[in-house]
PDB file of all heavy atoms in Angstrom:
ATOM      1  N   ASN A 152     -13.431  -1.192  10.750  1.00 90.00           N
ATOM      2  CA  ASN A 152     -12.597  -0.212  10.058  1.00 90.00           C
ATOM      3  C   ASN A 152     -12.127   0.836  11.057  1.00 90.00           C
ATOM      4  O   ASN A 152     -12.937   1.533  11.659  1.00 90.00           O
ATOM      5  CB  ASN A 152     -13.374   0.461   8.923  1.00 90.00           C
ATOM      6  CG  ASN A 152     -12.523   1.476   8.181  1.00 90.00           C
ATOM      7  OD1 ASN A 152     -11.337   1.236   7.939  1.00 90.00           O
ATOM      8  ND2 ASN A 152     -13.105   2.610   7.851  1.00 90.00           N
ATOM      9  N   VAL A 153     -10.818   0.892  11.264  1.00 92.00           N
ATOM     10  CA  VAL A 153     -10.231   1.894  12.153  1.00 92.00           C
ATOM     11  C   VAL A 153      -9.239   2.720  11.350  1.00 92.00           C
ATOM     12  O   VAL A 153      -8.193   2.199  10.944  1.00 92.00           O
ATOM     13  CB  VAL A 153      -9.503   1.237  13.354  1.00 92.00           C
ATOM     14  CG1 VAL A 153      -8.915   2.310  14.274  1.00 92.00           C
ATOM     15  CG2 VAL A 153     -10.443   0.340  14.133  1.00 92.00           C
ATOM     16  N   PRO A 154      -9.537   3.993  11.070  1.00 94.00           N
ATOM     17  CA  PRO A 154      -8.548   4.830  10.377  1.00 94.00           C
ATOM     18  C   PRO A 154      -7.273   4.943  11.206  1.00 94.00           C
ATOM     19  O   PRO A 154      -7.335   5.150  12.418  1.00 94.00           O
ATOM     20  CB  PRO A 154      -9.242   6.194  10.261  1.00 94.00           C
ATOM     21  CG  PRO A 154     -10.694   5.923  10.494  1.00 94.00           C
ATOM     22  CD  PRO A 154     -10.751   4.745  11.406  1.00 94.00           C
ATOM     23  N   VAL A 155      -6.121   4.758  10.555  1.00 95.00           N
ATOM     24  CA  VAL A 155      -4.833   4.935  11.236  1.00 95.00           C
ATOM     25  C   VAL A 155      -4.126   6.097  10.550  1.00 95.00           C
ATOM     26  O   VAL A 155      -3.760   6.013   9.379  1.00 95.00           O
ATOM     27  CB  VAL A 155      -3.971   3.660  11.179  1.00 95.00           C
ATOM     28  CG1 VAL A 155      -2.639   3.893  11.890  1.00 95.00           C
ATOM     29  CG2 VAL A 155      -4.710   2.489  11.822  1.00 95.00           C
ATOM     30  N   ILE A 156      -3.984   7.186  11.279  1.00 95.00           N
ATOM     31  CA  ILE A 156      -3.421   8.410  10.710  1.00 95.00           C
ATOM     32  C   ILE A 156      -2.024   8.643  11.273  1.00 95.00           C
ATOM     33  O   ILE A 156      -1.549   7.924  12.142  1.00 95.00           O
ATOM     34  CB  ILE A 156      -4.329   9.628  10.995  1.00 95.00           C
ATOM     35  CG1 ILE A 156      -4.362   9.944  12.503  1.00 95.00           C
ATOM     36  CG2 ILE A 156      -5.730   9.391  10.449  1.00 95.00           C
ATOM     37  CD1 ILE A 156      -4.998  11.273  12.837  1.00 95.00           C
ATOM     38  N   GLY A 157      -1.350   9.669  10.738  1.00 95.00           N
ATOM     39  CA  GLY A 157      -0.054  10.069  11.281  1.00 95.00           C
ATOM     40  C   GLY A 157       1.093   9.595  10.435  1.00 95.00           C
ATOM     41  O   GLY A 157       1.226   9.988   9.282  1.00 95.00           O
ATOM     42  N   GLY A 158       1.920   8.729  11.019  1.00 92.00           N
ATOM     43  CA  GLY A 158       3.139   8.316  10.340  1.00 92.00           C
ATOM     44  C   GLY A 158       3.364   6.828  10.370  1.00 92.00           C
ATOM     45  O   GLY A 158       2.424   6.026  10.343  1.00 92.00           O
ATOM     46  N   HIS A 159       4.638   6.439  10.494  1.00 84.00           N
ATOM     47  CA  HIS A 159       5.064   5.080  10.188  1.00 84.00           C
ATOM     48  C   HIS A 159       5.563   4.304  11.405  1.00 84.00           C
ATOM     49  O   HIS A 159       5.630   3.082  11.364  1.00 84.00           O
ATOM     50  CB  HIS A 159       6.174   5.196   9.136  1.00 84.00           C
ATOM     51  CG  HIS A 159       6.978   3.963   8.922  1.00 84.00           C
ATOM     52  ND1 HIS A 159       6.460   2.825   8.348  1.00 84.00           N
ATOM     53  CD2 HIS A 159       8.262   3.667   9.215  1.00 84.00           C
ATOM     54  CE1 HIS A 159       7.396   1.904   8.284  1.00 84.00           C
ATOM     55  NE2 HIS A 159       8.494   2.387   8.806  1.00 84.00           N
ATOM     56  N   ALA A 160       5.925   4.985  12.469  1.00 84.00           N
ATOM     57  CA  ALA A 160       6.608   4.287  13.558  1.00 84.00           C
ATOM     58  C   ALA A 160       6.167   4.792  14.919  1.00 84.00           C
ATOM     59  O   ALA A 160       5.904   5.986  15.100  1.00 84.00           O
ATOM     60  CB  ALA A 160       8.128   4.472  13.421  1.00 84.00           C
ATOM     61  N   GLY A 161       6.088   3.837  15.878  1.00 86.00           N
ATOM     62  CA  GLY A 161       5.886   4.194  17.278  1.00 86.00           C
ATOM     63  C   GLY A 161       4.731   5.138  17.525  1.00 86.00           C
ATOM     64  O   GLY A 161       3.606   4.916  17.070  1.00 86.00           O
ATOM     65  N   LYS A 162       5.014   6.211  18.228  1.00 91.00           N
ATOM     66  CA  LYS A 162       3.947   7.127  18.636  1.00 91.00           C
ATOM     67  C   LYS A 162       3.378   7.951  17.485  1.00 91.00           C
ATOM     68  O   LYS A 162       2.359   8.627  17.648  1.00 91.00           O
ATOM     69  CB  LYS A 162       4.426   8.047  19.754  1.00 91.00           C
ATOM     70  CG  LYS A 162       5.497   9.055  19.356  1.00 91.00           C
ATOM     71  CD  LYS A 162       5.910   9.892  20.559  1.00 91.00           C
ATOM     72  CE  LYS A 162       6.954  10.943  20.180  1.00 91.00           C
ATOM     73  NZ  LYS A 162       7.378  11.727  21.360  1.00 91.00           N
ATOM     74  N   THR A 163       4.020   7.926  16.309  1.00 94.00           N
ATOM     75  CA  THR A 163       3.443   8.641  15.159  1.00 94.00           C
ATOM     76  C   THR A 163       2.309   7.837  14.514  1.00 94.00           C
ATOM     77  O   THR A 163       1.586   8.354  13.670  1.00 94.00           O
ATOM     78  CB  THR A 163       4.507   8.966  14.087  1.00 94.00           C
ATOM     79  OG1 THR A 163       4.923   7.765  13.438  1.00 94.00           O
ATOM     80  CG2 THR A 163       5.702   9.674  14.698  1.00 94.00           C
ATOM     81  N   ILE A 164       2.174   6.559  14.882  1.00 94.00           N
ATOM     82  CA  ILE A 164       1.056   5.740  14.413  1.00 94.00           C
ATOM     83  C   ILE A 164      -0.127   6.009  15.331  1.00 94.00           C
ATOM     84  O   ILE A 164      -0.087   5.700  16.520  1.00 94.00           O
ATOM     85  CB  ILE A 164       1.420   4.242  14.444  1.00 94.00           C
ATOM     86  CG1 ILE A 164       2.614   3.962  13.520  1.00 94.00           C
ATOM     87  CG2 ILE A 164       0.229   3.380  14.045  1.00 94.00           C
ATOM     88  CD1 ILE A 164       3.179   2.553  13.654  1.00 94.00           C
ATOM     89  N   ILE A 165      -1.191   6.597  14.791  1.00 95.00           N
ATOM     90  CA  ILE A 165      -2.308   7.053  15.629  1.00 95.00           C
ATOM     91  C   ILE A 165      -3.607   6.407  15.164  1.00 95.00           C
ATOM     92  O   ILE A 165      -4.233   6.855  14.194  1.00 95.00           O
ATOM     93  CB  ILE A 165      -2.424   8.598  15.574  1.00 95.00           C
ATOM     94  CG1 ILE A 165      -1.098   9.243  15.975  1.00 95.00           C
ATOM     95  CG2 ILE A 165      -3.566   9.076  16.479  1.00 95.00           C
ATOM     96  CD1 ILE A 165      -1.003  10.715  15.646  1.00 95.00           C
TER      97      ILE A 165
END
Side-chain angles (χ1 to χ4, degrees):
N152 180 40
V153 181
V155 180
I156 67 168
H159 166 68
K162 68 181 182 182
T163 70
I164 299 171
I165 305 166

